[in-house]
Amino acid sequence: MATPRALVIRTAGTNCDQETRHAFEMAGAVTELAHINWLTASDTPLANVQILAIPGGFTYGDDIAAGKILAVELMHSMRRHLQDFIFGGGVIIGICNGFQVLVKTGLLPDACIQPAADRSLTLTHNDSGKFEARWVRLRTPHHVTSIFAEPDEAIELPVAHGEGKLVPRDPQVIKELVENGQVVFRYASPSGGVPVYPDNPNGSVDNIAAISDRSGRVLGLMPHPERYVVGYQHPRWTRENRAGQEGDGLRLFRRAVDYFKKG
């Protein structure tokens, strides 16, 4: 097919849009930035787009709750467009604040915009009670269905959030996510044991750092892959001879692009 096109949404408080656009361009996509006002005013905002990205930041100051206002705006103005985009085979990635937006619309984990009362999980304040900005280790489970990951994969990425703790309404929700292969990344300990703070920086249930919908095409993750696309962005790049290497985060963007190139 033609070169896949990625659209990166931005609004007041978004601060990772340029990095996300650059990552998709490095991965081989034609990438555009679009303000939410342009999208909501358009009759066909997602026409000719294969990948939609909701980047990190503090949209609308995270007033009320992180990502909540943008989630409401999307639910009100773009419900049909988003549902058609997903059911038409589109790929969505929500990073940090974008993950919070996807959860608060209901697009994760169920790929269906729904009222708050029907949502099965949320993202809330870190157990530490403070903003966490640090590098973390991540690992994929044995069973994962997301197009963004491979089984038993280990990567490192930075986190920067105050509300990253994933909490289900019922423990059965986590069991179903695991069984369906929707848990994409978990926080991991360097020792291989059960991660505790700060390896799990927010206290997320079952150490979950990223989930997908059942199709594997809608991904939400708290760590920032766009902040580690080249080796020298790693804090130990000199000691570990990472100069000239790709950063772990780039593979997520490349997999989204390759999904369409191979299809």
Side-chain angles (χ1 to χ4, degrees):
M1 68 169 292
T3 302
R5 302 183 68 87
L7 184 66
V8 181
I9 294 178
R10 64 181 179 87
T11 190
T14 301
N15 65 17
C16 297
D17 47 321
Q18 293 287 358
E19 294 91 337
T20 304
R21 178 175 69 173
H22 179 63
F24 271 117
E25 289 175 344
M26 288 183 67
V30 174
T31 311
E32 297 180 59
L33 287 177
H35 193 278
I36 187 65
N37 290 350
W38 179 86
L39 289 171
T40 56
S42 174
D43 292 331
T44 56
L46 303 179
N48 302 316
V49 173
Q50 289 76 47
I51 304 167
L52 179 66
I54 309 176
F58 306 90
T59 51
Y60 302 107
D62 280 346
D63 290 344
I64 305 176
K68 178 66 173 180
I69 296 177
L70 180 55
V72 171
E73 190 169 16
L74 291 174
M75 287 189 290
H76 175 72
S77 302
M78 292 189 61
R79 177 189 298 265
R80 177 176 60 83
H81 300 299
L82 286 168
Q83 295 287 189
D84 290 348
F85 182 75
I86 293 171
F87 294 135
V91 166
I92 299 178
I93 180 171
I95 303 167
C96 195
N97 197 249
F99 185 12
Q100 294 158 342
V101 169
L102 291 177
V103 166
K104 289 176 170 63
T105 59
L107 289 174
L108 281 177
D110 303 314
C112 181
I113 292 176
Q114 53 194 221
D118 295 333
R119 293 175 208 148
S120 58
L121 51 81
T122 191
L123 289 160
T124 190
H125 296 280
N126 300 342
D127 280 353
S128 65
K130 63 182 181 180
F131 187 86
E132 295 288 342
R134 63 179 71 250
W135 282 73
V136 295
R137 293 171 175 83
L138 304 169
R139 183 171 289 278
T140 56
H142 300 299
H143 174 47
V144 61
T145 58
S146 173
I147 67 167
F148 290 89
E150 296 180 353
D152 298 314
E153 182 175 24
I155 65 174
E156 290 183 76
L157 294 175
V159 296
H161 59 257
E163 297 179 43
K165 179 179 180 177
L166 185 141
V167 180
R169 181 192 301 174
D170 185 283
Q172 182 65 23
V173 172
I174 300 298
K175 182 174 183 292
E176 291 174 357
L177 291 177
V178 172
E179 290 176 349
N180 295 333
Q182 291 177 254
V183 174
V184 182
F185 288 106
R186 286 191 176 96
Y187 299 108
S189 167
S191 67
V194 177
V196 295
Y197 181 84
D199 297 324
N200 178 339
N202 49 48
S204 185
V205 173
D206 201 32
N207 301 301
I208 294 174
I211 62 172
S212 72
D213 71 328
R214 288 200 181 199
S215 76
R217 291 183 284 104
V218 181
L219 174 73
L221 72 165
M222 288 311 300
H224 286 268
E226 81 285 0
R227 297 185 182 180
Y228 184 33
V229 294
V230 291
Y232 65 77
Q233 291 175 312
H234 193 281
R236 299 188 303 275
W237 73 273
T238 53
R239 284 170 285 171
E240 297 179 0
N241 298 316
R242 293 176 183 252
Q245 297 181 11
E246 289 187 351
D248 292 348
L250 185 59
R251 69 184 72 169
L252 276 69
F253 298 99
R254 180 172 286 119
R255 285 167 181 162
V257 174
D258 288 348
Y259 173 77
F260 292 100
K261 286 185 174 179
K262 295 174 181 177

mmCIF file with all atom_site columns, all heavy atoms in Angstrom, residues 146-165:
data_model
loop_
_atom_site.group_PDB
_atom_site.id
_atom_site.type_symbol
_atom_site.label_atom_id
_atom_site.label_alt_id
_atom_site.label_comp_id
_atom_site.label_asym_id
_atom_site.label_entity_id
_atom_site.label_seq_id
_atom_site.pdbx_PDB_ins_code
_atom_site.Cartn_x
_atom_site.Cartn_y
_atom_site.Cartn_z
_atom_site.occupancy
_atom_site.B_iso_or_equiv
_atom_site.pdbx_formal_charge
_atom_site.auth_seq_id
_atom_site.auth_comp_id
_atom_site.auth_asym_id
_atom_site.auth_atom_id
_atom_site.pdbx_PDB_model_num
ATOM 1   N N   . SER A 1 146 ? -1.233 -7.608  20.839 1.00 0.00 ? 146 SER A N   1
ATOM 2   C CA  . SER A 1 146 ? -1.084 -6.275  20.273 1.00 0.00 ? 146 SER A CA  1
ATOM 3   C C   . SER A 1 146 ? -0.113 -6.268  19.095 1.00 0.00 ? 146 SER A C   1
ATOM 4   O O   . SER A 1 146 ? 0.916  -6.956  19.106 1.00 0.00 ? 146 SER A O   1
ATOM 5   C CB  . SER A 1 146 ? -0.577 -5.302  21.343 1.00 0.00 ? 146 SER A CB  1
ATOM 6   O OG  . SER A 1 146 ? -0.272 -4.042  20.779 1.00 0.00 ? 146 SER A OG  1
ATOM 7   N N   . ILE A 1 147 ? -0.409 -5.450  18.098 1.00 0.00 ? 147 ILE A N   1
ATOM 8   C CA  . ILE A 1 147 ? 0.496  -5.296  16.964 1.00 0.00 ? 147 ILE A CA  1
ATOM 9   C C   . ILE A 1 147 ? 1.757  -4.529  17.368 1.00 0.00 ? 147 ILE A C   1
ATOM 10  O O   . ILE A 1 147 ? 2.734  -4.510  16.625 1.00 0.00 ? 147 ILE A O   1
ATOM 11  C CB  . ILE A 1 147 ? -0.185 -4.564  15.790 1.00 0.00 ? 147 ILE A CB  1
ATOM 12  C CG1 . ILE A 1 147 ? -0.492 -3.106  16.168 1.00 0.00 ? 147 ILE A CG1 1
ATOM 13  C CG2 . ILE A 1 147 ? -1.445 -5.291  15.357 1.00 0.00 ? 147 ILE A CG2 1
ATOM 14  C CD1 . ILE A 1 147 ? -0.867 -2.233  14.979 1.00 0.00 ? 147 ILE A CD1 1
ATOM 15  N N   . PHE A 1 148 ? 1.733  -3.898  18.546 1.00 0.00 ? 148 PHE A N   1
ATOM 16  C CA  . PHE A 1 148 ? 2.848  -3.073  18.993 1.00 0.00 ? 148 PHE A CA  1
ATOM 17  C C   . PHE A 1 148 ? 3.931  -3.849  19.743 1.00 0.00 ? 148 PHE A C   1
ATOM 18  O O   . PHE A 1 148 ? 4.962  -3.269  20.082 1.00 0.00 ? 148 PHE A O   1
ATOM 19  C CB  . PHE A 1 148 ? 2.341  -1.961  19.919 1.00 0.00 ? 148 PHE A CB  1
ATOM 20  C CG  . PHE A 1 148 ? 1.541  -0.894  19.230 1.00 0.00 ? 148 PHE A CG  1
ATOM 21  C CD1 . PHE A 1 148 ? 0.157  -1.019  19.088 1.00 0.00 ? 148 PHE A CD1 1
ATOM 22  C CD2 . PHE A 1 148 ? 2.152  0.240   18.730 1.00 0.00 ? 148 PHE A CD2 1
ATOM 23  C CE1 . PHE A 1 148 ? -0.585 -0.026  18.465 1.00 0.00 ? 148 PHE A CE1 1
ATOM 24  C CE2 . PHE A 1 148 ? 1.420  1.240   18.105 1.00 0.00 ? 148 PHE A CE2 1
ATOM 25  C CZ  . PHE A 1 148 ? 0.046  1.098   17.972 1.00 0.00 ? 148 PHE A CZ  1
ATOM 26  N N   . ALA A 1 149 ? 3.716  -5.115  20.038 1.00 0.00 ? 149 ALA A N   1
ATOM 27  C CA  . ALA A 1 149 ? 4.660  -5.830  20.905 1.00 0.00 ? 149 ALA A CA  1
ATOM 28  C C   . ALA A 1 149 ? 4.832  -7.270  20.472 1.00 0.00 ? 149 ALA A C   1
ATOM 29  O O   . ALA A 1 149 ? 4.030  -7.819  19.702 1.00 0.00 ? 149 ALA A O   1
ATOM 30  C CB  . ALA A 1 149 ? 4.172  -5.777  22.355 1.00 0.00 ? 149 ALA A CB  1
ATOM 31  N N   . GLU A 1 150 ? 5.891  -7.886  20.989 1.00 0.00 ? 150 GLU A N   1
ATOM 32  C CA  . GLU A 1 150 ? 6.144  -9.305  20.792 1.00 0.00 ? 150 GLU A CA  1
ATOM 33  C C   . GLU A 1 150 ? 6.248  -9.986  22.146 1.00 0.00 ? 150 GLU A C   1
ATOM 34  O O   . GLU A 1 150 ? 6.615  -9.348  23.144 1.00 0.00 ? 150 GLU A O   1
ATOM 35  C CB  . GLU A 1 150 ? 7.444  -9.509  20.010 1.00 0.00 ? 150 GLU A CB  1
ATOM 36  C CG  . GLU A 1 150 ? 7.392  -8.959  18.597 1.00 0.00 ? 150 GLU A CG  1
ATOM 37  C CD  . GLU A 1 150 ? 8.687  -9.170  17.843 1.00 0.00 ? 150 GLU A CD  1
ATOM 38  O OE1 . GLU A 1 150 ? 9.671  -9.641  18.479 1.00 0.00 ? 150 GLU A OE1 1
ATOM 39  O OE2 . GLU A 1 150 ? 8.728  -8.870  16.633 1.00 0.00 ? 150 GLU A OE2 1
ATOM 40  N N   . PRO A 1 151 ? 5.927  -11.281 22.237 1.00 0.00 ? 151 PRO A N   1
ATOM 41  C CA  . PRO A 1 151 ? 5.972  -11.981 23.521 1.00 0.00 ? 151 PRO A CA  1
ATOM 42  C C   . PRO A 1 151 ? 7.361  -11.949 24.155 1.00 0.00 ? 151 PRO A C   1
ATOM 43  O O   . PRO A 1 151 ? 8.386  -12.009 23.459 1.00 0.00 ? 151 PRO A O   1
ATOM 44  C CB  . PRO A 1 151 ? 5.566  -13.416 23.157 1.00 0.00 ? 151 PRO A CB  1
ATOM 45  C CG  . PRO A 1 151 ? 4.787  -13.278 21.889 1.00 0.00 ? 151 PRO A CG  1
ATOM 46  C CD  . PRO A 1 151 ? 5.416  -12.144 21.152 1.00 0.00 ? 151 PRO A CD  1
ATOM 47  N N   . ASP A 1 152 ? 7.380  -11.807 25.483 1.00 0.00 ? 152 ASP A N   1
ATOM 48  C CA  . ASP A 1 152 ? 8.623  -11.875 26.269 1.00 0.00 ? 152 ASP A CA  1
ATOM 49  C C   . ASP A 1 152 ? 9.664  -10.847 25.808 1.00 0.00 ? 152 ASP A C   1
ATOM 50  O O   . ASP A 1 152 ? 10.863 -11.127 25.780 1.00 0.00 ? 152 ASP A O   1
ATOM 51  C CB  . ASP A 1 152 ? 9.218  -13.285 26.216 1.00 0.00 ? 152 ASP A CB  1
ATOM 52  C CG  . ASP A 1 152 ? 8.289  -14.312 26.824 1.00 0.00 ? 152 ASP A CG  1
ATOM 53  O OD1 . ASP A 1 152 ? 7.751  -14.057 27.915 1.00 0.00 ? 152 ASP A OD1 1
ATOM 54  O OD2 . ASP A 1 152 ? 8.078  -15.362 26.199 1.00 0.00 ? 152 ASP A OD2 1
ATOM 55  N N   . GLU A 1 153 ? 9.210  -9.686  25.477 1.00 0.00 ? 153 GLU A N   1
ATOM 56  C CA  . GLU A 1 153 ? 10.095 -8.613  25.027 1.00 0.00 ? 153 GLU A CA  1
ATOM 57  C C   . GLU A 1 153 ? 10.448 -7.720  26.217 1.00 0.00 ? 153 GLU A C   1
ATOM 58  O O   . GLU A 1 153 ? 9.590  -7.383  27.033 1.00 0.00 ? 153 GLU A O   1
ATOM 59  C CB  . GLU A 1 153 ? 9.373  -7.797  23.954 1.00 0.00 ? 153 GLU A CB  1
ATOM 60  C CG  . GLU A 1 153 ? 10.170 -6.681  23.356 1.00 0.00 ? 153 GLU A CG  1
ATOM 61  C CD  . GLU A 1 153 ? 9.407  -6.014  22.227 1.00 0.00 ? 153 GLU A CD  1
ATOM 62  O OE1 . GLU A 1 153 ? 8.157  -6.082  22.195 1.00 0.00 ? 153 GLU A OE1 1
ATOM 63  O OE2 . GLU A 1 153 ? 10.064 -5.407  21.361 1.00 0.00 ? 153 GLU A OE2 1
ATOM 64  N N   . ALA A 1 154 ? 11.694 -7.317  26.326 1.00 0.00 ? 154 ALA A N   1
ATOM 65  C CA  . ALA A 1 154 ? 12.140 -6.432  27.404 1.00 0.00 ? 154 ALA A CA  1
ATOM 66  C C   . ALA A 1 154 ? 12.638 -5.121  26.813 1.00 0.00 ? 154 ALA A C   1
ATOM 67  O O   . ALA A 1 154 ? 13.463 -5.129  25.894 1.00 0.00 ? 154 ALA A O   1
ATOM 68  C CB  . ALA A 1 154 ? 13.247 -7.088  28.215 1.00 0.00 ? 154 ALA A CB  1
ATOM 69  N N   . ILE A 1 155 ? 12.115 -4.008  27.319 1.00 0.00 ? 155 ILE A N   1
ATOM 70  C CA  . ILE A 1 155 ? 12.555 -2.703  26.854 1.00 0.00 ? 155 ILE A CA  1
ATOM 71  C C   . ILE A 1 155 ? 12.664 -1.750  28.041 1.00 0.00 ? 155 ILE A C   1
ATOM 72  O O   . ILE A 1 155 ? 12.194 -2.050  29.145 1.00 0.00 ? 155 ILE A O   1
ATOM 73  C CB  . ILE A 1 155 ? 11.590 -2.101  25.809 1.00 0.00 ? 155 ILE A CB  1
ATOM 74  C CG1 . ILE A 1 155 ? 10.213 -1.811  26.427 1.00 0.00 ? 155 ILE A CG1 1
ATOM 75  C CG2 . ILE A 1 155 ? 11.458 -3.010  24.602 1.00 0.00 ? 155 ILE A CG2 1
ATOM 76  C CD1 . ILE A 1 155 ? 9.283  -1.074  25.474 1.00 0.00 ? 155 ILE A CD1 1
ATOM 77  N N   . GLU A 1 156 ? 13.275 -0.593  27.802 1.00 0.00 ? 156 GLU A N   1
ATOM 78  C CA  . GLU A 1 156 ? 13.357 0.468   28.794 1.00 0.00 ? 156 GLU A CA  1
ATOM 79  C C   . GLU A 1 156 ? 12.796 1.752   28.200 1.00 0.00 ? 156 GLU A C   1
ATOM 80  O O   . GLU A 1 156 ? 13.076 2.082   27.040 1.00 0.00 ? 156 GLU A O   1
ATOM 81  C CB  . GLU A 1 156 ? 14.810 0.711   29.221 1.00 0.00 ? 156 GLU A CB  1
ATOM 82  C CG  . GLU A 1 156 ? 15.430 -0.394  30.036 1.00 0.00 ? 156 GLU A CG  1
ATOM 83  C CD  . GLU A 1 156 ? 16.844 -0.026  30.462 1.00 0.00 ? 156 GLU A CD  1
ATOM 84  O OE1 . GLU A 1 156 ? 16.991 0.788   31.394 1.00 0.00 ? 156 GLU A OE1 1
ATOM 85  O OE2 . GLU A 1 156 ? 17.786 -0.548  29.853 1.00 0.00 ? 156 GLU A OE2 1
ATOM 86  N N   . LEU A 1 157 ? 11.999 2.472   28.990 1.00 0.00 ? 157 LEU A N   1
ATOM 87  C CA  . LEU A 1 157 ? 11.421 3.737   28.566 1.00 0.00 ? 157 LEU A CA  1
ATOM 88  C C   . LEU A 1 157 ? 11.291 4.665   29.773 1.00 0.00 ? 157 LEU A C   1
ATOM 89  O O   . LEU A 1 157 ? 11.231 4.193   30.913 1.00 0.00 ? 157 LEU A O   1
ATOM 90  C CB  . LEU A 1 157 ? 10.026 3.539   27.948 1.00 0.00 ? 157 LEU A CB  1
ATOM 91  C CG  . LEU A 1 157 ? 9.923  2.762   26.634 1.00 0.00 ? 157 LEU A CG  1
ATOM 92  C CD1 . LEU A 1 157 ? 8.458  2.580   26.251 1.00 0.00 ? 157 LEU A CD1 1
ATOM 93  C CD2 . LEU A 1 157 ? 10.677 3.471   25.509 1.00 0.00 ? 157 LEU A CD2 1
ATOM 94  N N   . PRO A 1 158 ? 11.203 5.958   29.547 1.00 0.00 ? 158 PRO A N   1
ATOM 95  C CA  . PRO A 1 158 ? 10.967 6.870   30.669 1.00 0.00 ? 158 PRO A CA  1
ATOM 96  C C   . PRO A 1 158 ? 9.471  7.050   30.948 1.00 0.00 ? 158 PRO A C   1
ATOM 97  O O   . PRO A 1 158 ? 8.640  6.942   30.044 1.00 0.00 ? 158 PRO A O   1
ATOM 98  C CB  . PRO A 1 158 ? 11.577 8.185   30.178 1.00 0.00 ? 158 PRO A CB  1
ATOM 99  C CG  . PRO A 1 158 ? 11.430 8.128   28.691 1.00 0.00 ? 158 PRO A CG  1
ATOM 100 C CD  . PRO A 1 158 ? 11.541 6.676   28.307 1.00 0.00 ? 158 PRO A CD  1
ATOM 101 N N   . VAL A 1 159 ? 9.137  7.319   32.199 1.00 0.00 ? 159 VAL A N   1
ATOM 102 C CA  . VAL A 1 159 ? 7.780  7.702   32.571 1.00 0.00 ? 159 VAL A CA  1
ATOM 103 C C   . VAL A 1 159 ? 7.809  9.121   33.126 1.00 0.00 ? 159 VAL A C   1
ATOM 104 O O   . VAL A 1 159 ? 8.835  9.591   33.626 1.00 0.00 ? 159 VAL A O   1
ATOM 105 C CB  . VAL A 1 159 ? 7.148  6.756   33.617 1.00 0.00 ? 159 VAL A CB  1
ATOM 106 C CG1 . VAL A 1 159 ? 6.985  5.360   33.060 1.00 0.00 ? 159 VAL A CG1 1
ATOM 107 C CG2 . VAL A 1 159 ? 7.974  6.742   34.903 1.00 0.00 ? 159 VAL A CG2 1
ATOM 108 N N   . ALA A 1 160 ? 6.663  9.779   33.041 1.00 0.00 ? 160 ALA A N   1
ATOM 109 C CA  . ALA A 1 160 ? 6.531  11.125  33.600 1.00 0.00 ? 160 ALA A CA  1
ATOM 110 C C   . ALA A 1 160 ? 5.040  11.385  33.809 1.00 0.00 ? 160 ALA A C   1
ATOM 111 O O   . ALA A 1 160 ? 4.346  11.857  32.903 1.00 0.00 ? 160 ALA A O   1
ATOM 112 C CB  . ALA A 1 160 ? 7.137  12.166  32.665 1.00 0.00 ? 160 ALA A CB  1
ATOM 113 N N   . HIS A 1 161 ? 4.536  11.024  34.983 1.00 0.00 ? 161 HIS A N   1
ATOM 114 C CA  . HIS A 1 161 ? 3.098  11.167  35.220 1.00 0.00 ? 161 HIS A CA  1
ATOM 115 C C   . HIS A 1 161 ? 2.781  11.239  36.712 1.00 0.00 ? 161 HIS A C   1
ATOM 116 O O   . HIS A 1 161 ? 3.555  10.785  37.548 1.00 0.00 ? 161 HIS A O   1
ATOM 117 C CB  . HIS A 1 161 ? 2.332  10.017  34.580 1.00 0.00 ? 161 HIS A CB  1
ATOM 118 C CG  . HIS A 1 161 ? 2.734  8.653   35.089 1.00 0.00 ? 161 HIS A CG  1
ATOM 119 N ND1 . HIS A 1 161 ? 3.543  7.802   34.368 1.00 0.00 ? 161 HIS A ND1 1
ATOM 120 C CD2 . HIS A 1 161 ? 2.456  8.004   36.252 1.00 0.00 ? 161 HIS A CD2 1
ATOM 121 C CE1 . HIS A 1 161 ? 3.730  6.684   35.061 1.00 0.00 ? 161 HIS A CE1 1
ATOM 122 N NE2 . HIS A 1 161 ? 3.080  6.789   36.214 1.00 0.00 ? 161 HIS A NE2 1
ATOM 123 N N   . GLY A 1 162 ? 1.615  11.771  37.003 1.00 0.00 ? 162 GLY A N   1
ATOM 124 C CA  . GLY A 1 162 ? 1.127  11.823  38.375 1.00 0.00 ? 162 GLY A CA  1
ATOM 125 C C   . GLY A 1 162 ? -0.079 10.936  38.602 1.00 0.00 ? 162 GLY A C   1
ATOM 126 O O   . GLY A 1 162 ? -0.430 10.646  39.744 1.00 0.00 ? 162 GLY A O   1
ATOM 127 N N   . GLU A 1 163 ? -0.725 10.507  37.505 1.00 0.00 ? 163 GLU A N   1
ATOM 128 C CA  . GLU A 1 163 ? -1.926 9.671   37.609 1.00 0.00 ? 163 GLU A CA  1
ATOM 129 C C   . GLU A 1 163 ? -1.786 8.487   36.656 1.00 0.00 ? 163 GLU A C   1
ATOM 130 O O   . GLU A 1 163 ? -2.430 8.418   35.623 1.00 0.00 ? 163 GLU A O   1
ATOM 131 C CB  . GLU A 1 163 ? -3.186 10.482  37.276 1.00 0.00 ? 163 GLU A CB  1
ATOM 132 C CG  . GLU A 1 163 ? -3.442 11.636  38.228 1.00 0.00 ? 163 GLU A CG  1
ATOM 133 C CD  . GLU A 1 163 ? -4.671 12.450  37.869 1.00 0.00 ? 163 GLU A CD  1
ATOM 134 O OE1 . GLU A 1 163 ? -5.714 11.850  37.527 1.00 0.00 ? 163 GLU A OE1 1
ATOM 135 O OE2 . GLU A 1 163 ? -4.584 13.696  37.915 1.00 0.00 ? 163 GLU A OE2 1
ATOM 136 N N   . GLY A 1 164 ? -0.932 7.539   37.026 1.00 0.00 ? 164 GLY A N   1
ATOM 137 C CA  . GLY A 1 164 ? -0.659 6.410   36.142 1.00 0.00 ? 164 GLY A CA  1
ATOM 138 C C   . GLY A 1 164 ? -1.031 5.060   36.700 1.00 0.00 ? 164 GLY A C   1
ATOM 139 O O   . GLY A 1 164 ? -0.734 4.036   36.097 1.00 0.00 ? 164 GLY A O   1
ATOM 140 N N   . LYS A 1 165 ? -1.692 5.056   37.856 1.00 0.00 ? 165 LYS A N   1
ATOM 141 C CA  . LYS A 1 165 ? -2.045 3.791   38.498 1.00 0.00 ? 165 LYS A CA  1
ATOM 142 C C   . LYS A 1 165 ? -3.306 3.209   37.865 1.00 0.00 ? 165 LYS A C   1
ATOM 143 O O   . LYS A 1 165 ? -4.392 3.776   37.982 1.00 0.00 ? 165 LYS A O   1
ATOM 144 C CB  . LYS A 1 165 ? -2.270 3.990   39.998 1.00 0.00 ? 165 LYS A CB  1
ATOM 145 C CG  . LYS A 1 165 ? -2.666 2.706   40.727 1.00 0.00 ? 165 LYS A CG  1
ATOM 146 C CD  . LYS A 1 165 ? -2.846 2.936   42.217 1.00 0.00 ? 165 LYS A CD  1
ATOM 147 C CE  . LYS A 1 165 ? -3.241 1.641   42.927 1.00 0.00 ? 165 LYS A CE  1
ATOM 148 N NZ  . LYS A 1 165 ? -3.362 1.832   44.388 1.00 0.00 ? 165 LYS A NZ  1
#
